[in-house]
Amino acid sequence: MYVNIEYMEDLTQYIREVKDNHSASAYYKVVQLCEAKVFTMCYRTIGNREEAEEAAQDVFLKCFEKIHLLEDESRFLPWILKIAYNRSIDYIRRKKTIYLELDHEKVGTQSFIEDVEWTKSKSDLDPYLSICDESERAIITFYYQEEMSTQEIADTLKMTKSNVKIKLFRARNKIKQFIEGKDKNISK
Amino acid sequence: MTHLTDDQIQLLIEGNYQNERWMVHLDHCHQCRNSYESLNAVHESLSRLEYHQPSMRFAKNIYEFIVRKQQLEQQEKRWIRVIQISIFFSMFLIFLIGFYFLISSPWELNITENSLSNYYTWSIIMLLSTLTLWILYGIDRWYFKNKRKSEKGFDKTS
């Protein structure tokens, strides 16, 4: 995972301060350094800005309480991004159940088409990302923005490396087909 | 050579895998070349994805919430400490007074009704004080718990 060295040094120093003194002002600096990454992970997974902000706030508060469990400060970013992803998935599952109960009066698994339609209707995301499911969007974020290797992503999301590769390839293909479909409609 | 599979094209796009035969095939196969270029365009645009920024007060909100929570916890600790000391002191006084009357050998010296009633009065006062303090402690714990619960949710308007 590539990040700026200065950024990592600052982050590690603040995290050490938080762990030693439970300092709120040091954690404020940590939040400022990581808010874009965590918010982007939540936003890409959930698809709605306000809900993503709420989830991201919960993630930071939870991490503040559990930061003493982090042994290696340099692993803070993958750790918090994993929590952000899991929290966002929980959020989506809770919201989906409520949505199904209120609108469809049934509880159960959705078909893929219903998943896409539900996500697209609730999503503020660019259309080509909303075509992918939550795990694919998370993998895209980890791979392209956090520049994590497939092995690092697999360790973070507790998947196998081949599973991560398959999902990444599948996501690219979906986006490609969506764009080609759009272009065909435009040319018509 | 048959056409390249999607997986093979994806591996070429990532640049982690070089295969001369595949590259040569790409140069000669129009269909595979098109697939490669369209997937490469997707790969390029995903590489340019930007971070989204939360609202301006995002970090400040979290900081204020943590500070408020820490202040409440410290306040609770101080209050509990005061009550614990008061309870301990009053219990100590009860036992001290009782012990004083005991070692004064009630079966030898004059235990007047007056002195006995004084002892009972003092004991009742001390016991009532202790009880009052325990009730206050209970109310305070309940109050701080409720205050913490209401602080748990974020004030989205702030």
Side-chain angles (χ1 to χ4, degrees):
Chain A
M1 186 173 170
Y2 172 77
V3 282
N4 184 282
I5 293 170
E6 223 178 272
Y7 170 91
M8 274 313 292
E9 279 174 5
D10 288 343
L11 185 63
T12 311
Q13 182 201 329
Y14 290 130
I15 289 163
R16 243 179 240 135
E17 215 177 304
V18 173
K19 278 176 80 176
D20 293 339
N21 306 324
H22 225 60
S23 162
S25 49
Y27 196 66
Y28 174 62
K29 297 286 184 194
V30 170
V31 172
Q32 281 185 315
L33 287 171
C34 301
E35 60 181 354
K37 291 178 188 285
V38 171
F39 178 72
T40 302
M41 175 55 72
C42 294
Y43 183 46
R44 291 254 162 80
T45 313
I46 295 173
N48 178 278
R49 217 188 147 75
E50 286 80 24
E51 288 165 4
E53 204 163 296
E54 201 180 303
Q57 283 174 342
D58 287 346
V59 167
F60 276 113
L61 289 176
K62 188 176 176 182
C63 286
F64 182 72
E65 284 166 26
K66 305 276 181 194
I67 202 160
H68 59 280
L69 298 172
L70 183 68
E71 285 169 6
D72 183 4
E73 290 92 19
S74 61
R75 299 290 305 160
F76 178 76
L77 273 176
W79 178 68
I80 196 170
L81 289 173
K82 179 182 169 185
I83 294 174
Y85 171 70
N86 289 335
R87 186 75 185 84
S88 305
I89 293 292
D90 291 341
Y91 204 91
I92 291 170
R93 282 190 189 137
R94 263 207 323 268
K95 289 276 177 180
K96 260 190 192 167
T97 313
I98 294 165
Y99 175 75
L100 285 170
E101 282 174 350
L102 289 175
D103 286 8
H104 297 285
E105 289 177 24
K106 69 177 182 204
V107 176
T109 56
Q110 283 178 304
S111 67
F112 171 72
I113 296 164
E114 281 178 340
D115 272 342
V116 170
E117 289 305 319
W118 179 82
T119 315
K120 275 162 71 175
S121 69
K122 302 288 174 195
S123 174
D124 301 339
L125 286 176
D126 296 338
Y128 64 83
L129 275 184
S130 63
I131 278 298
C132 307
D133 68 31
E134 302 92 13
S135 57
E136 287 166 356
R137 290 200 294 269
I139 288 169
I140 285 172
T141 307
F142 279 127
Y143 187 82
Y144 285 101
Q145 290 200 276
E146 304 308 324
E147 296 184 4
M148 287 167 84
S149 65
T150 46
Q151 186 60 58
E152 283 177 317
I153 298 170
D155 294 337
T156 305
L157 298 181
K158 288 206 166 58
M159 288 180 185
T160 59
K161 190 178 167 182
S162 55
N163 203 5
V164 168
K165 262 194 171 153
I166 287 167
K167 282 188 173 277
L168 185 59
F169 288 4
R170 206 179 283 165
R172 285 185 194 135
N173 269 324
K174 277 187 195 172
I175 295 168
K176 181 193 131 195
Q177 282 162 17
F178 178 74
I179 293 170
E180 281 170 359
K182 251 181 80 176
D183 290 341
K184 273 185 194 154
N185 286 336
I186 290 166
S187 61
K188 277 178 191 168
Chain B
M1 187 185 168
T2 54
H3 291 297
L4 295 175
T5 61
D6 258 344
D7 286 1
Q8 287 170 332
I9 294 174
Q10 300 240 26
L11 283 171
L12 283 174
I13 284 163
E14 283 176 357
N16 295 330
Y17 188 82
Q18 297 297 330
N19 186 309
E20 266 195 48
R21 278 184 61 216
W22 295 357
M23 297 304 295
V24 166
H25 178 82
L26 268 183
D27 288 338
H28 293 100
C29 176
H30 187 64
Q31 186 182 329
C32 290
R33 186 86 212 164
N34 280 345
S35 295
Y36 175 85
E37 277 170 7
S38 53
L39 267 173
N40 196 36
V42 170
H43 176 72
E44 292 291 316
S45 58
L46 288 174
S47 304
R48 288 192 296 270
L49 279 174
E50 287 179 358
Y51 286 111
H52 294 275
Q53 294 291 339
S55 59
M56 295 281 284
R57 281 199 57 88
F58 180 81
K60 200 79 182 163
N61 282 344
I62 292 169
Y63 171 73
E64 283 169 2
F65 183 83
I66 289 171
V67 164
R68 260 203 311 271
K69 192 179 170 195
Q70 283 180 334
Q71 282 172 347
L72 273 173
E73 279 169 4
Q74 278 167 3
Q75 209 176 352
E76 190 184 355
K77 272 185 192 160
R78 274 200 302 270
W79 193 208
I80 288 170
R81 210 155 286 155
V82 163
I83 291 174
Q84 280 174 340
I85 290 168
S86 312
I87 289 168
F88 174 73
F89 183 67
S90 51
M91 298 286 279
F92 172 73
L93 277 179
I94 291 170
F95 288 120
L96 193 66
I97 293 167
F99 185 66
Y100 169 74
F101 280 106
L102 258 171
I103 59 165
S104 306
S105 299
W107 47 84
E108 278 180 22
L109 299 175
N110 294 334
I111 289 205
T112 60
E113 267 185 40
N114 199 31
S115 65
L116 213 54
S117 71
N118 279 345
Y119 170 66
Y120 286 143
T121 311
W122 270 113
S123 303
I124 287 167
I125 289 169
M126 288 298 159
L127 276 169
L128 281 173
S129 317
T130 311
L131 197 64
T132 311
L133 284 167
W134 272 113
I135 291 169
L136 279 172
Y137 170 69
I139 292 170
D140 229 68
R141 268 195 79 95
W142 170 83
Y143 170 73
F144 275 116
K145 249 190 199 163
N146 277 351
K147 204 166 181 184
R148 259 215 301 267
K149 267 186 198 163
S150 66
E151 294 280 353
K152 224 179 180 178
F154 258 86
D155 181 15
K156 288 182 185 168
T157 57
S158 66

